[in-house]
Amino acid sequence: GAVVSQHPSWVICKSGTSVKIECRSLDFQATTMFWYRQFPKQSLMLMATSNEGSKATYEQGVEKDKFLINHASLTLSTLTVTSAHPEDSSFYICSARYASGRETQYFGPGTRLLVL
Amino acid sequence: QQPVQSPQAVILREGEDAVINCSSSKALYSVHWYRQKHGEAPVFLMILLKGGEQKGHDKISASFNEKKQQSSLYLTASQLSYSGTYFCGTEGSFKAAGNKLTFGGGTRVLVKP
């Protein structure tokens, strides 16, 4: 299967700071990348869909100004959690897809964020 | 709308079989199955497309009944490595690019020796 990397794998930060998470597709060009958030023992909650060269599409209830997404190239998307607060602590996972229909999404290893 | 998975959890002995179901209230184009181990990201198992196909990977197979808007994942002769949470992700229609998946609530599988 395709390989997707995420960096960092975990991060601890102070309340009020911003954190940037990178998602890279290593062996394919991803037309679309997705960002998810997952709380313990819960399902994957889609935050936004990111298409290269265009603005991200956010799911209802997700603050655009708080979770900034940039899809700079076909292999890189970034999620920046601005002015992080303890309630933003979670497991953030990205996925990448190079075409719809006959292809699936491949997930990165995830980033565990802890805001103190 | 989120697909419904059942059961929510299942405990098996090594070698036993199990079935996980995924039902949608909307018409489906494709169903994607993933397994997630604790603390890790989901790993892709298989994709089933409209047309009622059935697929298999080792002793894990799946079917897709588009008329019933359902998919089932079959764990045959389960191994310890099958333990984890299984998610189905559904797609309502074909799109040229960028279609998102809607994930079910997950089914926790524990395989005991």
Side-chain angles (χ1 to χ4, degrees), chain B:
Chain B
Q1 197 168 0
Q2 188 179 39
V4 177
Q5 284 186 238
S6 63
Q8 288 187 326
V10 59
I11 300 175
L12 304 165
R13 288 286 178 190
E14 211 172 355
E16 290 182 342
D17 303 338
V19 181
I20 301 169
N21 298 304
C22 175
S23 297
S24 173
S25 59
K26 295 183 177 182
L28 298 177
Y29 174 76
S30 66
V31 180
H32 307 231
W33 285 97
Y34 294 83
R35 178 173 60 212
Q36 186 179 29
K37 301 263 183 187
H38 181 68
E40 300 177 8
V43 172
F44 171 67
L45 293 176
M46 63 189 78
I47 176 177
L48 298 107
L49 301 173
K50 189 176 177 179
E53 63 176 346
Q54 188 159 354
K55 276 194 173 181
H57 175 71
D58 196 13
K59 291 182 178 175
I60 298 177
S61 61
S63 62
F64 177 25
N65 187 322
E66 60 189 283
K67 288 182 181 178
K68 291 186 177 180
Q69 295 161 192
Q70 288 179 351
S71 177
S72 296
L73 187 73
Y74 306 94
L75 307 181
T76 306
S78 58
Q79 304 168 18
L80 296 176
S81 61
Y82 287 3
S83 293
T85 301
Y86 290 77
F87 291 100
C88 67
T90 58
E91 184 175 28
S93 60
F94 176 79
K95 194 174 174 182
N99 229 11
K100 62 183 180 183
L101 296 179
T102 304
F103 286 92
T107 296
R108 289 202 192 147
V109 173
L110 175 61
V111 181
K112 291 185 173 181

Side-chain angles (χ1 to χ4, degrees), chain A residues 99-115:
Chain A
S100 181
R102 299 192 175 279
E103 301 298 340
T104 193
Q105 292 180 26
Y106 294 95
F107 285 89
T111 296
R112 211 161 283 284
L113 172 63
L114 176 60
V115 185

Side-chain angles (χ1 to χ4, degrees), chain A residues 4 20 29 32 45 47 60 68 71 97 99 111-112 114:
Chain A
V4 178
K20 181 186 276 189
Q29 292 186 326
T32 307
M45 186 193 82
M47 298 174 66
Q60 196 170 10
L68 301 178
H71 195 150
R97 189 171 192 181
T111 296
R112 211 161 283 284
L114 176 60

